[in-house]
Amino acid sequence: MAESMKGLKRTRRCAEFSSADIGNTVTVMGWVQKSRNKGGLVFTDVRDSSGILQGIFGEDICGSQVFEKAGRLRSEFCIAVVGRIRSRGKDVNKELTTGDIEVEATDLRILSESDVLPFPIEAETKTREELRLKYRYLDLRRPPLQRNIALRSKLAISVRNYMAENGFLEIETPTFIKSTPEGARDYLVPSRVHQGEFYALPQSPQLLKQLLMVSGFDRYFQLARCYRDEDLRADRQPEFTQIDMELSFADIDDVIAVNEGLLKRIFKEVIDVDVELPIRRMTWQTAMDRYGSDKPDLRFGLEIEDVSSCVKDCGFSVFHDAVAEGGTVRGIRVPGQGHMPRKKIDALSEVAKYYGGKGIAYLCVGAAEDGSHKSSFTKFMSDEETEALIASMGGEKGDLLVFAAGKTELVRTVLGNVRLTLGKELGLIRQGDWKFVWITEFPLFEWSEEEGRFMAMHHPFTAPMEEDWQYIDSDPGRVRAKAYDIVLNGTELGGGSVRIHQADIQEKMLEKLGFTEERANEQFGFLLEAFKYGVPPHAGLAYGMDRVAMWMAGAESIRDVMAFPKLKDASDAMMGAPAKVEEAQLSELGIKVDEEAIKASQKKETDG
Ligand code: ASP
């Protein structure tokens, strides 16, 4: 039995009342968090987006009809309660902001009833995510998600205000476009009008925002929805939002200045955190060498040292061979951890193996009872070699030294991940620490073994550093890009670059990336054409807004800051998307689903 709210007007939201309201008659509306009959009184917690207020029904005050109705209340009934705010006296509930007051009800309307829920609406949940996402509208009633979504809204508004104050225009760009160059797989939309042809959903508004610079808009931004058809890793979603921007007549420092201002503003406004400016800058090379990652977590030390020159002639063949074969030997000094149990050291080796290494070599300085070292490899080295290695790592008695040897790239990845594991396991990461860093001077290209060619590390429109352009033919791998990433606590929040605005450099770049003139023209001829008509130097950046919100909310996953995220298999459990469509819809599009091909590819997947 659902009643109307005719004649009633909500006074305020539940948690917006305080002891200042005592004595006032009010109307609150919301959901029943819980309702119980205790000693002839019905206590009902009413919850809305602001929080909870306790209602209390006593037959002598509200009359038998209302009292009887209150007795029927169950979790998540949607109700309106009219009554007088009164003090709870000594009976304060410290858990609630309204814990010192309650509404002494005189009237009750059941606006709508609720079936028994598939899971309870409570802050902490043990319900598995698949079920929560199927009933996302209920999941979203949980206070932490209410808070996250509100925070995200605050973030969006804060960004908009800052950008507007700094001369940026918010310009929308279309979502039915042609493939963009971010390097992931496109989502395609078939055209009915042009049968057999497809739009691609934007992986980012990259080319369009560059065209807006050609159009003379000077500064653009957009909270842009982007689509990438990738296998979903932990914090990826097929569709996500970028805080996207582009600036004309701008170089690296201009972009960084605007964005430091933005970061300072949004972190202060949304979560009251002071971002210290200027944000540290680190070259890609330094990040890779010292932290084994282009998104270093600077909340703790444990930097990586290169000991190749120290061990290149030592007796331990693994070290010796690695250097002889053009690789490196690098290590991490873990102060005071020389007593680490073997099991834990072995676990570090497992981390190394997970990332493709052969394991780690360790040395516990002076850890044996007689004061000698415990180690997996010093038996192959002379005492002098061992002591020289310890000295080159700055090792002291009681320290643990771990090493990896092999190809430089692999050694970096392995030690970068061993470092992260150590940071977490040893509790070195201080909560509430915000370590921002700009990573600069990325390589322009990265070599793809798979494709046997150079690929753009950022995208093909990223400008090279002027001083490196001379190596474009002789040693393309040496050319650095005017690209930058903003990293927070070991995650990339965003990235961007200065763009190429000179036709000859763009041509050369495309040639190096293996584009024929035809293919370049086919894919982004419109951009190359536009660049013939007076293109301003320009640069830009885009943040993964979901990740920014995730950090601000202290959430574990970007799904927790999205209203309706998708499952790991990119499906929407609530709506049941993707879904089959009517034959007629397909034939209008000139599309026929190839059931045989689907079966074959499904079989391949299960076999593989
Ligand atoms: N469009 C780029 C990206 O999505 C960002 C940029 O270069 O502005 O990564």
Side-chain angles (χ1 to χ4, degrees), residues 120-339:
I121 308 300
E122 53 198 9
E124 296 295 323
T125 179
K126 288 206 181 68
T127 309
R128 66 194 164 87
E129 199 176 25
E130 284 78 5
L131 188 65
R132 289 197 288 112
L133 290 185
K134 180 163 178 354
Y135 296 96
R136 184 61 161 178
Y137 45 87
L138 295 179
D139 194 30
L140 285 170
R141 284 186 189 171
R142 297 192 303 116
L145 288 182
Q146 289 272 320
R147 272 196 300 276
N148 289 356
I149 300 299
L151 176 148
R152 188 188 174 112
S153 163
K154 205 168 166 186
L155 167 63
I157 290 165
S158 182
V159 168
R160 287 198 158 100
N161 287 338
Y162 175 87
M163 298 309 272
E165 285 161 26
N166 284 277
F168 287 82
L169 298 187
E170 180 167 7
I171 307 178
E172 287 171 272
T173 53
T175 45
F176 284 10
I177 64 167
K178 210 166 156 161
S179 187
T180 45
E182 311 301 341
R185 206 179 285 115
D186 287 321
Y187 275 102
L188 299 175
V189 178
S191 165
R192 177 184 56 81
V193 182
H194 307 275
Q195 288 197 352
E197 295 182 4
F198 296 82
Y199 301 98
L201 300 182
Q203 293 183 30
S204 85
Q206 184 61 38
L207 301 184
L208 294 157
K209 67 175 174 174
Q210 292 193 241
L211 289 176
L212 289 171
M213 297 301 104
V214 176
S215 303
F217 284 109
D218 202 66
R219 287 181 163 200
Y220 139 96
F221 89 100
Q222 179 180 199
L223 303 187
R225 193 50 75 82
C226 305
Y227 309 85
R228 296 183 192 177
D229 188 1
E230 295 173 295
D231 292 330
L232 302 187
R233 282 188 263 139
D235 61 348
R236 292 261 165 99
Q237 280 280 303
E239 48 180 318
F240 58 96
T241 308
Q242 283 188 345
I243 303 168
D244 191 39
M245 67 181 77
E246 197 73 12
L247 299 75
S248 283
F249 307 109
D251 211 326
I252 299 178
D253 287 341
D254 303 300
V255 178
I256 287 188
V258 159
N259 281 282
E260 291 193 345
L262 173 67
L263 288 166
K264 183 148 191 94
R265 169 76 165 267
I266 60 180
F267 273 83
K268 186 69 191 170
E269 227 163 61
V270 181
I271 54 167
D272 198 23
V273 161
D274 289 299
V275 176
E276 245 178 75
L277 298 186
I279 290 171
R280 182 171 169 188
R281 296 190 200 183
M282 188 183 288
T283 65
W284 177 87
Q285 190 66 50
T286 303
M288 295 306 287
D289 283 341
R290 290 214 204 135
Y291 302 96
S293 166
D294 59 2
K295 33 181 185 295
D297 190 338
L298 300 184
R299 287 175 296 177
F300 62 98
L302 301 185
E303 291 184 18
I304 298 168
E305 301 282 343
D306 190 341
V307 293
S308 306
S309 62
C310 178
V311 297
K312 67 181 193 313
D313 301 316
C314 80
F316 183 34
S317 62
V318 173
F319 285 1
H320 169 251
D321 293 352
V323 183
E325 285 159 17
T328 47
V329 181
R330 297 177 187 213
I332 298 176
R333 179 174 83 92
V334 197
Q337 290 296 326
H339 59 274

Side-chain angles (χ1 to χ4, degrees), residues 542-575:
Y543 295 86
M545 180 162 147
D546 312 282
R547 280 196 210 166
V548 176
M550 176 183 101
W551 273 100
M552 287 182 160
E556 309 241 298
S557 148
I558 58 170
R559 295 188 296 281
D560 292 339
V561 291
M562 295 175 140
F564 297 106
K566 304 236 175 347
L567 289 172
K568 287 209 178 68
D569 66 356
S571 69
D572 182 316
M574 182 182 68
M575 294 199 272

Side-chain angles (χ1 to χ4, degrees), residues 472-485:
I472 186 66
D473 286 316
S474 58
D475 190 2
R478 182 171 172 180
V479 181
R480 289 165 299 168
K482 287 184 145 186
Y484 32 76
D485 273 1

